[in-house]
Amino acid sequence: MSFFCLLWVPLFYFLRRIIAGAGASSGSIWALLLGSVVAITQFFLGYFVSPGGFELSRWIFGFVDIVTVPVLVPLLIYLIIFILKGFSGEADFARFALLWLIPWGAMRALTWSALNDPILLVVVPLLWTALAVGVSFFINWMITKFKWYSALVSIPCILVLPVLAASAYWAFFSQQTLMGFAMLLIAYIPVIISFIFERHKN
């Protein structure tokens, strides 16, 4: 399971490149570098939120330290760089976020390996990629084809997906496995749609 946590994000990244036909971008090195710095820093700082039991504190812990914030940080940084026109070429939020998450996944595989917990080592990496690609898809949709209907759909989805990902982690941890699987599958719907869009675009 540790190998899954270590390898899933890079394998998913290359799968997306094959499907989308995406090449390297000017931000790729920065994504890997900044992701490595943040991963090492987090390794020494530890968690920001006390995990607690099965209630709200566990959900907040999952949102901040485990599932959601680690994915939203690179997306937010890329959005700022995009607004400032720091990178050339076509915007690709998902590529930046996935590259950022490669060292993050390696660090988590190292720190979680002793726990041998399938939720952390398997479910959480799946949620990372679902969130990175799903949120990126809706951001890109608004940027490239900004219409009232794209904003009407994209903004709620961008807000709901992070909550859904943290809730899926909480459901698995609380042994509500069926609910966890249902939310995980829902989180992957935008991923499938984005793959279809990218495939037809190329």
Side-chain angles (χ1 to χ4, degrees), residues 77-87:
I77 289 176
Y78 191 85
L79 179 61
I80 294 171
I81 296 173
F82 174 79
I83 293 172
L84 297 176
K85 302 186 184 302
F87 294 146

Side-chain angles (χ1 to χ4, degrees), residues 2-64:
S2 297
F3 282 106
F4 185 90
C5 185
L6 176 67
L7 298 175
W8 170 248
V9 176
L11 289 175
F12 188 89
Y13 168 78
F14 286 113
L15 173 66
R16 181 179 178 271
R17 279 190 61 178
I18 292 170
I19 294 174
S25 70
S26 58
S28 299
I29 300 300
W30 280 108
L32 288 169
L33 179 61
L34 292 173
S36 299
V37 170
V38 171
I40 294 170
T41 303
Q42 180 66 26
F43 177 80
F44 289 105
L45 290 179
Y47 295 134
F48 292 109
V49 176
S50 177
F54 293 89
E55 302 302 329
L56 180 61
S57 61
R58 173 61 60 171
W59 187 91
I60 296 174
F61 171 68
F63 187 94
V64 173

Side-chain angles (χ1 to χ4, degrees), residues 166-182:
S167 300
Y169 162 77
W170 177 87
F172 278 107
F173 183 84
S174 302
Q175 299 181 350
Q176 301 184 44
T177 308
L178 185 61
M179 181 187 298
F181 272 117

